[in-house]
Amino acid sequence: MRKGFITLILAIATLNANAQIKLPAWLSNVKLSGYAQTQYQYTSQEGAKANSFNLRIIRMSLDGRIADDFYWKIQLQMNGNTSTLTSAPKVVDLFTEWQKFDFFKVKIGQFKNPFTFENPMNPIDQGFMGYGQNVQKLAGFTDRAGGHSSNGRDIGLQFQGDFLKNANGRNLLHYQIGIFNGQGINVKDIDQQKNIIGGIWAMPVKGMRIGAFGWTGSYARKGTWTEDNVTFNGVRKLAQNRYAFSAEYLVDDWTFRSEYIHSTGYAFAKTLTNTNDATASDCNLSSNGNKAQGVYALVIAPIVKQKCHIKARYDMYQPNGEINKMKSQYELGMDYEFTRNLEISGEFAHINDRSLVKHNYNMIDIEVSFRF
């Protein structure tokens, strides 16, 4: 399947590059694009010291329109280890969206969960060495519930739109709501209960968004677990209920953003990493209980507009909703854009992780990112 998609991408790219070949009308606006991030990272964490270069992410996508009203996209992530679900080459996006009306659009396929402002952002535009801890754990990346790495995505159906224009023709409100399997990318539903995820935000002035999001549903596995010295076998469903409050202001090349997320729902003890190993059927629960929460706040300030920035972020996550396992990151960094398509960024982070015997350690992260 993955080889077929790659072949399709290369074939269409070749056709587009050859002006002598006339494409069908519905293919005339197909666009090939992508991006990649190379990384150097150092950590001084006791017992887990690391100092390594890495291919953080490689993406390639095709997108286009059909009959003007329909937008479609296919995106592949091709770096990593082919034996696992965490970093294996995989399809991350595959959807089509009916976009005839700004106030009512319909999307079906595999795409981003409509939860938080940061989740839908491109990893380069997000601005830091990684998404906020709360977004990574509570928006469908490597989810707290035990799901495999899904890059904030799931399979489902979504409705969204913008409405209530002001005198200048700018929309003041946005909504989005969807129904999803609840199992992450490239996996069918297991418990036949769907997740309902959505949000609404106001845009009172240009560049500002103030929003609220909700998530209700479940995450499930089929396997065995032990409870009160009794072994059970079957489908174990864990209810998941979450909400988030978000605020962002983009003005004159400054960025201010903060998001708080709260989650109620138990989690499996082991994160799913391979559908063929024991994690796929291990339904025992994590010791973290049924609550989690986290918040981040960041600012990105221009030194030279649209070229060079300094940045700072406070990023905190409590995997059990308590301070005894709280992990806080204090980050300072800088980036430089040689062009829109080539950027270098660096960060220093001091980390306090109360789940460790030695709480404090430091990280250095340097990344070179490019788009095509």
Side-chain angles (χ1 to χ4, degrees):
M1 180 179 177
R2 299 185 187 107
K3 290 182 179 179
F5 276 127
I6 294 172
T7 301
L8 175 62
I9 286 174
L10 294 176
I12 293 178
T14 302
L15 289 174
N16 280 330
N18 189 341
Q20 296 180 347
I21 298 177
K22 184 175 177 60
L23 295 174
W26 72 276
L27 282 176
S28 61
N29 60 357
V30 173
K31 181 175 66 176
L32 172 69
S33 61
Y35 61 91
Q37 293 180 286
T38 58
Q39 178 185 56
Y40 167 80
Q41 193 170 87
Y42 162 82
T43 176
S44 65
Q45 181 181 342
E46 189 70 24
K49 291 183 179 180
N51 173 6
S52 180
F53 293 100
N54 180 43
L55 299 179
R56 180 185 169 193
I57 193 169
I58 303 169
R59 293 267 178 87
M60 184 178 291
S61 67
L62 280 174
D63 69 282
R65 305 194 73 85
I66 300 175
D68 294 328
D69 293 339
F70 291 88
Y71 171 77
W72 61 269
K73 183 175 183 178
I74 301 170
Q75 183 168 216
L76 306 178
Q77 182 170 306
M78 293 172 289
N79 62 312
N81 184 332
T82 59
S83 67
T84 72
L85 287 170
T86 55
S87 57
K90 55 194 173 187
V91 178
V92 288
D93 288 300
L94 200 166
F95 66 83
T96 185
E97 183 175 45
W98 183 57
Q99 298 181 339
K100 186 175 180 64
F101 304 108
D102 288 342
F103 62 86
F104 185 72
K105 300 177 182 180
V106 183
K107 182 187 290 188
I108 187 168
Q110 180 168 286
F111 49 88
K112 286 281 191 175
N113 291 314
F115 194 73
T116 77
F117 287 162
E118 192 165 274
N119 182 20
M121 292 181 182
N122 179 291
I124 301 174
D125 298 333
Q126 180 270 338
F128 287 79
M129 61 181 176
Y131 294 87
Q133 296 178 85
N134 56 355
V135 175
Q136 293 185 50
K137 291 298 184 182
L138 302 175
F141 282 77
T142 303
D143 199 274
R144 174 189 188 271
H148 61 285
S149 178
S150 292
N151 303 95
R153 294 164 166 87
D154 206 341
I155 306 172
L157 173 70
Q158 176 178 290
F159 306 97
Q160 66 176 336
D162 299 281
F163 62 100
L164 195 63
K165 294 182 184 295
N166 64 8
N168 297 321
R170 184 176 59 82
N171 287 300
L172 300 178
L173 291 175
H174 174 88
Y175 73 92
Q176 51 190 30
I177 186 166
I179 180 170
F180 301 88
N181 282 343
Q183 295 298 128
I185 62 174
N186 305 318
V187 175
K188 292 182 179 180
D189 203 350
I190 291 178
D191 62 357
Q192 310 309 310
Q193 177 180 344
K194 300 299 183 283
N195 282 3
I196 298 175
I197 308 172
I200 186 168
W201 60 78
M203 299 167 280
V205 299
K206 186 177 180 180
M208 178 180 288
R209 298 188 292 172
I210 302 171
F213 299 84
W215 175 318
T216 185
S218 65
Y219 177 66
R221 282 184 192 168
K222 185 177 182 180
T224 60
W225 67 96
T226 301
E227 193 172 0
D228 296 328
N229 296 318
V230 179
T231 299
F232 297 88
N233 186 285
V235 173
R236 191 171 199 183
K237 176 171 66 176
L238 305 180
Q240 304 293 314
N241 295 288
R242 299 169 181 176
Y243 61 83
F245 298 110
S246 307
E248 180 183 65
Y249 188 35
L250 309 177
V251 57
D252 204 22
D253 205 28
W254 285 73
T255 298
F256 303 89
R257 187 169 67 251
S258 182
E259 301 193 270
Y260 169 78
I261 309 175
H262 184 275
S263 174
T264 301
Y266 289 96
F268 291 115
K270 294 183 178 179
T271 298
L272 179 62
T273 57
N274 191 323
T275 55
N276 297 316
D277 68 16
T279 63
S281 58
D282 187 340
C283 297
N284 290 294
L285 296 183
S286 165
S287 62
N288 283 333
N290 72 335
K291 290 184 179 180
Q293 61 180 350
V295 64
Y296 73 83
L298 64 84
V299 59
I300 303 174
I303 298 175
V304 179
K305 285 186 179 180
Q306 308 299 326
K307 182 67 68 172
C308 183
H309 306 83
I310 57 174
K311 58 188 73 176
R313 178 172 69 172
Y314 170 69
D315 181 8
M316 182 277 290
Y317 176 64
Q318 296 174 348
N320 61 350
E322 304 290 342
I323 64 171
N324 66 315
K325 289 188 177 181
M326 183 172 72
K327 182 178 179 180
S328 300
Q329 298 185 182
Y330 306 85
E331 302 170 48
L332 292 172
M334 179 181 290
D335 65 54
Y336 185 84
E337 296 182 18
F338 297 95
T339 70
R340 172 61 180 166
N341 294 327
L342 180 62
E343 174 184 315
I344 185 169
S345 61
E347 282 184 57
F348 169 82
H350 176 71
I351 299 171
N352 177 271
D353 187 343
R354 299 192 181 189
S355 68
L356 302 176
V357 175
K358 293 191 175 181
H359 300 337
N360 298 303
Y361 62 96
N362 299 317
M363 289 182 62
I364 295 173
D365 183 274
I366 300 173
E367 299 183 14
V368 176
S369 307
F370 62 91
R371 315 174 199 239
F372 59 89

